[in-house]
Amino acid sequence: EPEVTQTPSHQVTQMGQEVILRCVPISNHLYFYWYRQILGQKVEFLVSFYNNEISEKSEIFDDQFSVERPDGSNFTLKIRSTKLEDSAMYFCASRQTGEGIQYFGAGTRLSVL
Amino acid sequence: DQQVKQNSPSLSVQEGRISILNCDYTNSMFDYFLWYKKYPAEGPTFLISISSIKDKNEDGRFTVFLNKSAKHLSLHIVPSQPGDSAVYFCATTRGGGAQKLVFGQGTRLTINP
């Protein structure tokens, strides 16, 4: 069964460093998303991406964040200068056009020290 | 952001009995509703969904009920099995565009043998 894959599963970084979280969405999906879940809190939307551009972003997704689909298969989230409060689980999701079901990867746990 | 609320952080049910998980929403523009199940160290897994034109959708042991006038949905699992022990999230979205998901806080369901 097709699935969304995310790497790495755990990323440890120093505050102020850049990190890139990687995702391979399901191959025939057209919409791509990043969500995050801070420990003990809700899963919250960061950004959606369609047709090679950002469709919507939340207030969390400030200038320190960027997304890219560098080729036909990968979808990346970059945090330019990490802060302690960026520590969270980051989930990538994708969906086909026409249906509302989003399929999630297993997540990347980002720990900023 | 309290657009989607799951008021029970946890629920404990005897194996074989019915589990009922509840979710309330505030925005009447939401028109598609989903339930996700999440195990530790995994991403949310889609379980069942319902569109606002329906009031019930059934898939095996899982049934989702939607009460639009009360802005309330519920997930019924019957009979409950030990493997159902997980955190359950309700999520909603508006039709059209990139359709970001708005999640509730989650309910931890424990099925006791």
Side-chain angles (χ1 to χ4, degrees), chain B residues 14-65:
Chain B
Q14 203 76 20
E15 182 180 358
R17 307 294 286 268
I18 185 170
S19 295
I20 300 175
L21 297 104
N22 294 300
C23 179
D24 297 296
Y25 61 96
T26 56
N27 190 339
S28 56
M29 298 294 287
F30 290 136
D31 60 6
Y32 196 70
F33 305 86
L34 308 92
W35 284 95
Y36 284 85
K37 174 178 175 180
K38 186 179 180 305
Y39 294 117
E42 293 185 13
T45 301
F46 170 72
L47 202 54
I48 192 169
S49 61
I50 189 168
S51 114
S52 60
I53 61 172
K54 295 187 172 183
D55 53 22
K56 177 182 173 181
N57 187 28
E58 195 170 348
D59 183 2
R61 297 186 297 114
F62 303 92
T63 303
V64 56
F65 294 92

Side-chain angles (χ1 to χ4, degrees), chain A residues 79-98:
Chain A
I79 309 175
R80 265 180 266 283
S81 177
T82 50
K83 307 184 191 70
L84 294 175
E85 54 265 37
D86 293 328
S87 295
M89 281 292 291
Y90 287 80
F91 295 108
C92 173
S94 69
R95 73 169 178 92
Q96 288 180 320
T97 187

Side-chain angles (χ1 to χ4, degrees), chain A residues 31 33 35 37 41-43 45 48 55-56 91 95 99-107, chain B residues 1-2 4 32 34 36 38 41-44 46 49 89 97-101 103-105:
Chain A
Y31 292 87
Y33 305 82
Y35 293 82
Q37 185 181 27
Q41 297 186 23
K42 287 186 179 189
V43 176
F45 167 77
S48 57
S55 301
E56 186 177 356
F91 295 108
R95 73 169 178 92
E99 68 163 23
I101 301 168
Q102 294 182 23
Y103 295 88
F104 286 77
Chain B
D1 178 4
Q2 294 291 301
V4 181
Y32 196 70
L34 308 92
Y36 284 85
K38 186 179 180 305
E42 293 185 13
F46 170 72
S49 61
F89 292 95
Q99 297 182 4
K100 70 179 181 186
L101 293 177
F103 283 85
Q105 303 95 316

